[in-house]
Amino acid sequence: IFEELEIEEKDKLLQILGSEFMSEIVSYLEDAGEYLSEIDADDAAEIIEQMDADDAVEVLDDLDEEIEESDDF
């Protein structure tokens, strides 16, 4: 369901739930890198900071792939 939301709705959710709770949600997303690349860098950093180390590494790998893909265009 989260992945079907518009970016504005996801931002609103981040403001309501906070970075700690959003870090739990993001750790379960298949396209976490895409979401994190769409939001403010400070918000993305806060979310990643709240994650368990293994989840953070996985999400950072996804984010790196997302950035590489966007650079290809």
Side-chain angles (χ1 to χ4, degrees):
I1 295 175
F2 181 84
E3 293 153 338
E4 295 176 15
L5 298 174
E6 297 293 323
I7 189 61
E8 294 83 16
E9 296 168 316
K10 292 175 184 177
D11 283 341
K12 185 77 165 181
L13 239 134
L14 173 60
Q15 300 309 314
I16 292 169
L17 300 176
S19 61
E20 186 174 351
F21 194 76
M22 283 299 290
S23 71
E24 292 294 321
I25 294 171
V26 171
S27 67
Y28 288 99
L29 296 177
E30 286 191 32
D31 63 346
E34 180 180 343
Y35 168 65
L36 292 174
S37 69
E38 294 175 341
I39 64 173
D40 180 70
D42 289 336
D43 290 336
E46 242 182 86
I47 290 171
I48 293 168
E49 186 177 302
Q50 297 292 327
M51 294 179 148
D52 293 333
D54 58 330
D55 290 334
V57 168
E58 188 175 323
V59 167
L60 287 170
D61 285 343
D62 289 346
L63 183 57
D64 188 44
E65 288 176 17
E66 185 68 31
I67 291 169
E68 286 178 10
E69 287 176 10
S70 67
D71 287 344
D72 288 343
F73 293 105

